Amino acid sequence: MSYIAGVDIGNSTTEVCVGEVTDRGNVTFLTSASCPTTGTKGTIENVYSVKNALKLAMSRIGRETSDIDLVRLNEAAPVIGDTAMETLTETVITDSSMIGHNPSTPAGAGQAVGEILLIENISRAVPGTAYILASSSEHSYEEVAAVVNQHEEVDIVGIILQADEAVLVENRIHKQVPIIDEVRRIDRLPDGVPAAIEVALPGQTIRMLSNPYGIATLLGLTAEETRTITPIAKSLIGKRSAVVLKTPGGNIHENVLPAGEIYFYGDKNVTISLDEGADKIMAAAEDAGDIRDISGQPDTNVGNMLSRIRTGMSELDKSAEADIRITDILAVDTLAPVLISGALAGETCLEKAVGIAAMVKTQKLPMQEIAAHLTTDLGTDVKVAGVEAVMASLGALTTPGTKLPLAILDMGGGSTDAAIIDESGHVNLTHQAGAGELVSMLIQTELGLSDRHIAEEIKKYPLAKVESLFHMRMENGQMTFVDESIDPRFFGRVVLLTENGLVRIEEEIPMEKIVQVRREAKRKVFVTNAFRALKKVAPDHNLKNISTVVLVGGSAEDFEIPEMLMEAFTDYRIVCGRGNIRGTEGPRNAVATGLVLSYIGEMEG
């Protein structure tokens, strides 16, 4: 009787399964565990996470790692997924020519057009001229209100403040004008230039300054000037308030960056420009057939990006014979917020971008070296055994209700892998670039989040809006009431519903937009990749020749991805769902379980 441990080293997680095997080849699964992978998959740093996972698993049955007779490692495929985002266009504004703004606490409502007048220059005001008064935080709200009330002869039609004091000023002045605050770099406001400001009513958004012709109407722009301010109008869509300036010496220009071309080297060599967009790029990848390598045009965005990915991989395999190749990419169209040069309050403009996940292969990774380290540290036999996708197929077969032939989709952090095992046990497999990490990057980029961690959390958990201290509105519209009052810090905020309680989203983003971006990112990556991968391994490359798909891997635990895939496969009459490895583990632990099962097969062989 022996203790056999299967260890699956993944991009994000290392999983362990321990079984008790008799001399007759019968196995009893005893325990399992997982922990975050240390280092990059397939490198010496993985030793630490393997030991941690083994120790945790054995402690659950009151045993030590020294009791293990054999550790079987997956052949951590020499594949690394990486992601990058490249913006195709960039709006550059010089001399603060036009600037949009969206503070959270404007006051008043309506539009106003006039010359910028700094508060310290109020004495220079000319009767009959409309002015927009600008005040830095050096002047208190009482001072600003007093100046406006004392100079009733000056035609002040709007106010711009540096401090967050719009409502305080509005409550103290004798006239009603739109007031915008939180303009951090108010010292850069040029005195005497034409400006237009707009504040929408509560619950509404601006209409004139989010329309290029509206800006042209208010500021008297020519047709050419109207064309150049279109990016500003676009950046102001959905805002509660805005200010647009026109400086005589200023100019706006759109700088189209050299996005570059992608070169596919496969059954057929294909060249495609990044400007063509994701659909054309993926069509070119399919035209290339079996891809041996991918590179980018030198000294362009995509060329530099692919070069960085290749260089990063070379750090892992520094051997002279290292053969580092990019064998697959997944391109996704998106919008990225770009900081506007010359902005007065850190404003951004959404620009077209392409997100790319790349799959990098090397000749070999030091799996035998990892095994040698573990043998020394654990004092037990460690063997590298089994191709990952084959082991995952064996593990998936322990899901109740499955039989051969069987297709699996292993959706992890860096890659989406597919395999089909037929009645004879033959396995056809593929590795595709793009999985959970690319989804997180798309969510972070499109929502303009500063923290990748919160993007990861948004990917994993459903949302709610706390509308009172005793109820929340869920993202599906359902109202949920609670017995104990909700922490006041969450009142009026969008929150994530995690297993550890509520997590507040700090950015002021509508819940509906977050849900839309999250679901679209998952569709773009997981649904697209599922079809790509299964089509590649399906008999005759026809999805209608697949009857059953089992979803395994970390992303199969997601609360909405399996349902998305089930809907997507409806037309093909494919039975698709989350795996339940050994009837207890859910979609996790497929490879580790397969490694233990394959040991029995070797015994019988």
Side-chain angles (χ1 to χ4, degrees), residues 450-469:
S450 57
D451 185 4
R452 172 61 68 91
H453 174 71
I454 196 65
E456 286 278 351
E457 298 289 283
I458 287 172
K459 178 181 71 177
K460 293 178 184 177
Y461 300 109
L463 296 158
K465 177 78 176 286
V466 178
E467 297 190 334
S468 80
L469 295 183

Side-chain angles (χ1 to χ4, degrees), residues 17 47 57 120 122 218 221 331 403 405 429 437 453 513 525 580:
C17 171
V47 168
E120 48 267 30
I122 190 80
L218 294 176
L221 304 182
K403 67 172 186 175
L429 56 95
E437 291 173 6
H453 174 71
K513 180 177 180 181
V525 176
N580 189 14

Side-chain angles (χ1 to χ4, degrees), residues 23 65 69 87 109 133 147 173 210 212 220 247 296 307 344 347 356 370 375 391 398 460-461 486 494 508 558:
D23 295 338
T65 53
D69 296 286
T87 306
L133 191 70
V147 167
I173 59 177
S210 60
T247 58
S307 176
L344 298 178
E347 291 81 7
I356 289 183
I370 293 173
T375 298
M391 297 302 104
T398 66
K460 293 178 184 177
Y461 300 109
I486 300 169
V494 177
E508 294 277 355
D558 187 90

Side-chain angles (χ1 to χ4, degrees), residues 368-390:
Q368 294 297 341
E369 201 174 338
I370 293 173
H373 271 74
L374 285 170
T375 298
T376 302
D377 292 353
L378 298 174
T380 191
D381 191 18
V382 180
K383 181 181 179 182
V384 180
V387 177
E388 194 168 345
V390 178

Side-chain angles (χ1 to χ4, degrees), residues 76-94:
V79 221
I80 300 295
D82 201 356
T83 55
M85 183 74 67
E86 290 303 338
T87 306
L88 304 185
T89 58
E90 179 185 7
T91 300
V92 178
I93 301 180
T94 60

